Amino acid sequence: MSVENLITIDGPSGSGKGTVCHILAKKLGWHLLDSGALYRILAYAALQQKVALNDAQALADLALTLDVSFVSNGSGVDTLLNDENVGDKLRTEVVAQAASEVASIELVRSALLARQKAFLQQPGLIADGRDMGTVVFPEAKVKIFLDASAEERAQRRFNQLQDKGFNVSIAQILSEIKERDYRDRNRAVAPLRPADDALVIDSTTLTIDQVVDKVLTLTELKLKISTE
């Protein structure tokens, strides 16, 4: 399939990329790959099955057997594991931290690579993650790196969790975000960074609609240039 119908959006947790990707997929009528959810699902399954988070082979084997699907529900996307909607269970900080740990393991990333590439289908794909533009789909013509200050991302996460009824501390969330950022940006395998040809957007002071407009404008320009 043509890589013209492919947009990668990478960035740290809380930068808004999940919401932006969902809106873009809906506007364009394209498929959505939430690669972060794959790692969260693996982490969640490992915690449930008591698989050690440093057992690379066991985690890789588990990754290959996960029955995962993403299903649009009209207002968002349901994340299904063995036909169970586990979306809310993946959003706890325990799972987020575990996902960051397993994502640093090369054997795990290799196991999930083919599954991620398989999401590239007609009519197009919005790929959301941390290494979509650098490792999984380096051939993409439209690459975005969406960032925001750690403080703003912590506030967004705090509001999100409070809305879901979780009793959380913003200071703890900020500390965990900074810890995860450091681990993700400094890991030896597929570190979090913008692709050389990515457009970096700082969403700290932007609304979701403003970010979406920026991405759509860039997409139109890139696709126009690539077909001239």
Side-chain angles (χ1 to χ4, degrees), residues 31-35 38 70 116 119 125-128 132 137:
H31 298 286
L32 173 65
L33 165 59
D34 182 350
S35 66
L38 290 178
F70 301 110
Q116 293 174 87
F119 278 84
L125 176 67
I126 309 294
D128 165 4
M132 295 296 98
F137 298 112

Side-chain angles (χ1 to χ4, degrees), residues 108-200:
V108 169
R109 301 194 77 87
S110 297
L112 288 176
L113 184 61
R115 298 191 73 163
Q116 293 174 87
K117 285 183 174 294
F119 278 84
L120 182 55
Q121 300 175 12
Q122 294 288 3
L125 176 67
I126 309 294
D128 165 4
R130 284 173 170 74
D131 64 346
M132 295 296 98
T134 55
V135 176
V136 182
F137 298 112
E139 71 276 19
K141 288 187 165 51
V142 180
K143 300 175 187 175
I144 308 295
F145 189 89
L146 190 58
D147 208 348
S149 70
E151 291 73 19
E152 173 62 20
R153 289 186 283 127
Q155 185 65 56
R156 293 172 183 174
R157 185 78 177 126
F158 176 77
N159 294 341
Q160 181 186 49
L161 290 172
Q162 276 212 320
D163 288 344
K164 291 182 177 295
F166 290 100
N167 183 21
V168 290
S169 158
I170 192 167
Q172 181 181 352
I173 291 173
L174 178 58
S175 175
E176 289 169 345
I177 280 178
K178 288 181 176 179
E179 178 184 339
R180 189 156 64 247
D181 282 355
Y182 181 84
R183 182 164 57 240
D184 289 347
R185 293 178 189 272
N186 292 280
R187 66 191 179 207
V189 181
L192 172 65
R193 66 172 181 82
D196 293 338
D197 54 346
L199 172 68
V200 178

Side-chain angles (χ1 to χ4, degrees), residues 191-211:
L192 172 65
R193 66 172 181 82
D196 293 338
D197 54 346
L199 172 68
V200 178
I201 299 175
D202 188 332
S203 71
T204 301
T205 61
L206 299 177
T207 66
I208 290 295
D209 287 341
Q210 287 173 322
V211 175

Side-chain angles (χ1 to χ4, degrees), residues 32-79:
L32 173 65
L33 165 59
D34 182 350
S35 66
L38 290 178
Y39 288 101
R40 285 174 180 263
I41 287 171
L42 175 58
Y44 172 75
L47 292 171
Q48 293 295 107
Q49 298 181 31
K50 302 189 185 310
V51 175
L53 298 182
N54 60 357
D55 189 336
Q57 188 60 60
L59 290 168
D61 292 343
L62 180 59
L64 293 173
T65 61
L66 293 174
D67 180 9
V68 180
S69 59
F70 301 110
V71 180
S72 175
N73 61 20
S75 60
V77 177
D78 290 333
T79 303

Side-chain angles (χ1 to χ4, degrees), residues 18-29:
T19 302
V20 168
C21 287
H22 169 67
I23 293 173
L24 286 169
K26 190 172 182 179
K27 279 181 176 289
L28 297 172

